[in-house]
Amino acid sequence: MNKYLDANGLLYVWEKIKSQLSGKVDKAAGKGLSANDFTDEEKAKLAGLSGYVLPAATEETLGGVKVGPGLAITGGVLSARTAAWDEITGKPELALKSDITGLYRFKGSVASAGDLPEADNILGDVWNVEATGMNYAWDGERWDALGGTFALESITNEEIDSLLAV
């Protein structure tokens, strides 16, 4: 079961974070880094990159890719989509708001799942079963359980400690 972080747990986490941050080293004034850990060889190598140009990607070379017609980058992922592909696969049908409004129609409550009506049901009819707190929807052939009640439990300080253990 997933747990939630309540106000006391959040305060506890904040105190743990502050405690962890108390041991950090602050940036030294006048320095880009607090410590100069670069060797002379590493500094020279880095200085030599000033004119570097990323090579074009090929089958053999990992490099840069230009985005052109039929290509798109979404969330860092390059994908190809062409008009020919759309013709082969067909574009997905879109649902209009008018297609889905009123999809579920609440009909009432019954004492148990055995009391759900067996006849004259319409796609989208929904009944609450009092014995379990579960709602059921008619899918055209049978009753489909939509979900029931569940308990919420807050995470303990001990569980927070185990999550933040270094």
Side-chain angles (χ1 to χ4, degrees):
M1 172 194 311
N2 290 328
K3 296 184 176 183
Y4 73 96
L5 186 62
D6 63 8
N8 290 331
L10 183 59
L11 179 60
Y12 184 77
V13 169
W14 178 243
E15 292 301 325
K16 298 286 274 187
I17 291 171
K18 288 193 315 188
S19 173
Q20 292 292 321
L21 289 176
S22 68
K24 74 171 182 63
V25 177
D26 290 330
K27 179 181 170 183
K31 291 187 176 182
L33 299 171
S34 296
N36 184 351
D37 295 334
F38 279 128
T39 64
D40 289 340
E41 181 183 343
E42 291 170 326
K43 285 181 186 178
K45 183 176 180 181
L46 186 59
L49 294 177
S50 64
Y52 177 77
V53 176
L54 183 66
T58 67
E59 289 182 20
E60 296 82 26
T61 305
L62 183 61
V65 177
K66 289 185 179 181
V67 178
L71 296 177
I73 297 178
T74 306
V77 176
L78 177 67
S79 59
R81 184 152 182 133
T82 65
W85 176 257
D86 288 341
E87 288 176 21
I88 294 168
T89 61
K91 293 184 180 179
E93 295 293 323
L94 301 176
L96 301 174
K97 182 178 176 183
S98 60
D99 295 333
I100 59 175
T101 55
L103 182 63
Y104 286 141
R105 289 174 301 284
F106 184 73
K107 303 298 283 186
S109 293
V110 293
S112 70
D115 297 323
L116 290 167
E118 295 180 18
D120 300 323
N121 296 307
I122 299 172
L123 183 67
D125 284 355
V126 175
W127 287 85
N128 176 57
V129 173
E130 293 172 348
T132 61
M134 178 94 61
N135 288 322
Y136 290 82
W138 185 253
D139 68 6
E141 296 180 19
R142 65 186 176 288
W143 290 106
D144 182 25
L146 298 178
T149 58
F150 58 92
L152 292 176
E153 185 179 348
S154 65
I155 191 169
T156 66
N157 290 351
E158 292 77 21
E159 291 168 318
I160 292 170
D161 285 341
S162 69
L163 290 171
L164 297 177
V166 180

